[in-house]
Amino acid sequence: MKKIAALLICTVFLSGCTDPELPEGAESQQPPALGTTSEVSEMTQQSADTTAAVHDGAYALLSQYLEQKPETSVLKNCRMLGGGAYLLCFEQSDHSYEIEYTTLSHGKQIYTMSDGAAHSAADGFWVLSQASESTAAAMEWQDIRYQRLRVYQDSLSLEADVDVSPLGTIDAFAVDIDERDVYAARHTAEGLQIERLGFFADTPETVCVIGASGENAYLQTIRSMHMGDGLLLVVGEASENGETVPCFGSISLRRGTVWLHTRKNGGAFEAAPYDGGAYFYDAEHPTGIIYRIGDARESELTLGYAAESMQVFSAQSGAYFATCMKISETAAEITVYDSEGGRITKSISHESAPIAARSEIRMYFDEDARRLLYCVADNDWRELLY
């Protein structure tokens, strides 16, 4: 049922890499226990973008609260804050985003509008604001031009407003809220360059440059990048023996060294990140195996069925993960595992509409309530005890 084994790895030591000292991180702050008019008013004053409180009534489950949202409001991110409090991000029909702090006891408490989605982290969340057409300098990422990075506490109070335009055109982007740094990857004549820009810095500094490394596999392209514990966790493509192959791995922010896991028979690795680590899986091949980087180690986990490994969702702590496997046009098998690959529970979800495309399936763990919030068809949110 489970298997923990050492991964086949390729470690590349990069020449000419810096050995940076990271700045002291900011202390994480818990959101306030909102519920009175005075508390909400105080929080509204802390952020110019935040509206007045909206009380929608009491709910027993988050799925009940989501049921009363209009069909044009689609949940794109959910951060479980504990004690029946949640940070929710909804995409609207005009492609703007509503970000709200919600409690089960009072419904929506405070919210703000943004032209970018909320990306949650252990110490808050961040959004990117697009540059206007008249703005000459901007960061260009995934064919979109951005000018500002806004970092918020979970309570929606503004923590930092960062000018990201010095980064220019980049391939991948990540934010370390705790250490107050932004990381970017870009292609240069020397190779793949990793840069760090402090929240209050004017120009980025080079962490390392990843170039050809003899017979060893080396990282060519980064498709996605996530913060780990002193690491950048990456998914992309590597060059191995003259061939381009899919890969995942990590980049040490202190030593500039790269660790890679490659697959020679093709595929497309994806990451299910959590606070300080990530699970990695092949979204194209039913291998029945996923990988975990976290807690200063790498693990290989074998699942119950081969097709389970093609879609993975992680709890915020990394202590649990869930898999979703379509078994008919209107039914999916959902399984919850612990971080060692031990199965906790399995359930068949029967839907009244066809199962959505894999990219539209969403799952979020409420570890405080031991519930898995999931949606596999027609924006129909349900909950599974585990």
Side-chain angles (χ1 to χ4, degrees):
M1 185 60 215
K2 68 177 181 180
K3 166 186 170 186
I4 308 292
L7 297 179
L8 298 176
I9 61 174
C10 173
T11 304
V12 182
F13 292 92
L14 305 174
S15 60
C17 294
T18 59
D19 186 12
E21 291 298 325
L22 298 180
E24 293 297 323
E27 295 182 358
S28 63
Q29 299 188 30
Q30 296 297 320
L34 300 180
T36 66
T37 303
S38 61
E39 288 172 324
V40 173
S41 298
E42 180 181 354
M43 185 55 60
T44 301
Q45 294 173 2
Q46 291 181 17
S47 173
D49 296 332
T50 302
T51 70
V54 180
H55 296 281
D56 295 327
Y59 301 90
L61 300 172
L62 180 58
S63 56
Q64 295 175 340
Y65 174 74
L66 297 176
E67 285 178 1
Q68 57 83 40
K69 301 291 288 187
E71 292 184 0
T72 55
S73 187
V74 180
L75 182 66
K76 288 297 185 180
N77 198 2
C78 174
R79 179 80 183 179
M80 309 294 185
L81 305 178
Y86 308 91
L87 177 72
L88 306 177
C89 176
F90 297 93
E91 184 177 11
Q92 308 300 316
S93 57
D94 62 356
H95 301 297
S96 65
Y97 293 86
E98 178 181 294
I99 305 167
E100 63 179 60
Y101 178 100
T102 297
T103 65
L104 292 180
S105 57
H106 293 88
K108 183 193 299 182
Q109 298 284 281
I110 48 178
Y111 72 95
T112 185
M113 297 300 297
S114 170
D115 60 359
H119 301 265
S120 58
D123 302 304
F125 69 97
W126 54 271
V127 299
L128 284 169
S129 295
Q130 297 183 27
S132 64
E133 294 182 1
S134 60
T135 302
M139 179 186 80
E140 186 170 338
W141 178 38
Q142 298 176 337
D143 298 324
I144 300 177
R145 299 174 72 249
Y146 299 98
Q147 186 177 23
R148 312 298 302 186
L149 165 74
R150 291 189 171 89
V151 181
Y152 294 84
Q153 296 179 2
D154 288 330
S155 57
L156 272 68
S157 57
L158 187 64
E159 182 85 3
D161 187 355
V162 184
D163 179 9
V164 294
S165 61
L167 292 172
T169 302
I170 64 172
D171 301 318
F173 185 79
V175 179
D176 188 339
I177 294 180
D178 185 51
E179 297 290 350
R180 301 190 177 189
D181 287 317
V182 171
Y183 290 90
R186 74 172 71 253
H187 278 92
T188 67
E190 292 76 28
L192 189 60
Q193 182 167 302
I194 308 300
E195 295 182 338
R196 175 174 54 238
L197 176 68
F199 282 6
F200 308 106
D202 295 325
T203 57
E205 60 177 326
T206 300
V207 175
C208 63
V209 178
I210 305 168
S213 183
E215 296 181 357
N216 293 326
Y218 64 92
L219 192 60
Q220 279 189 319
T221 303
I222 297 177
R223 290 193 294 106
S224 66
M225 191 161 65
H226 309 281
M227 295 307 308
D229 186 10
L231 303 169
L232 284 177
L233 305 177
V234 298
V235 172
E237 286 77 39
S239 177
E240 186 172 32
N241 298 322
E243 181 183 358
T244 299
V245 296
C247 71
F248 71 87
S250 63
I251 302 171
S252 170
L253 294 176
R254 291 193 177 276
R255 298 185 300 274
T257 53
V258 179
W259 172 92
L260 291 179
H261 179 96
T262 62
R263 188 188 302 286
K264 295 181 180 180
N265 60 346
F269 283 116
E270 301 289 346
Y274 59 87
D275 298 342
Y279 292 91
F280 298 89
Y281 58 98
D282 188 337
E284 291 186 354
H285 291 161
T287 64
I289 295 173
I290 69 170
Y291 307 88
R292 183 181 189 269
I293 298 179
D295 306 321
R297 65 190 181 101
E298 299 85 34
S299 304
E300 179 183 302
L301 310 176
T302 300
L303 307 181
Y305 298 96
E308 283 188 87
S309 63
M310 298 177 67
Q311 191 162 35
V312 177
F313 302 86
S314 178
Q316 292 165 188
S317 70
Y320 308 97
F321 66 90
T323 64
C324 182
M325 184 173 62
K326 182 177 178 179
I327 58 177
S328 75
E329 188 66 20
T330 57
E333 181 175 292
I334 299 168
T335 307
V336 177
Y337 292 88
D338 63 28
S339 61
E340 300 296 318
R343 193 177 74 186
I344 296 176
T345 188
K346 181 173 70 174
S347 178
I348 305 297
S349 181
H350 296 279
E351 305 297 322
S352 58
I355 303 297
R358 288 196 303 115
S359 61
E360 295 300 317
I361 295 176
R362 289 154 285 166
M363 294 188 183
Y364 304 98
F365 281 86
D366 189 339
E367 296 179 80
D368 189 45
R370 294 297 296 266
R371 292 180 180 273
L372 176 67
L373 177 72
Y374 70 91
C375 174
V376 298
D378 200 29
N379 210 30
D380 179 14
W381 288 96
R382 306 180 184 186
E383 299 190 38
L384 170 68
L385 281 169
Y386 65 91

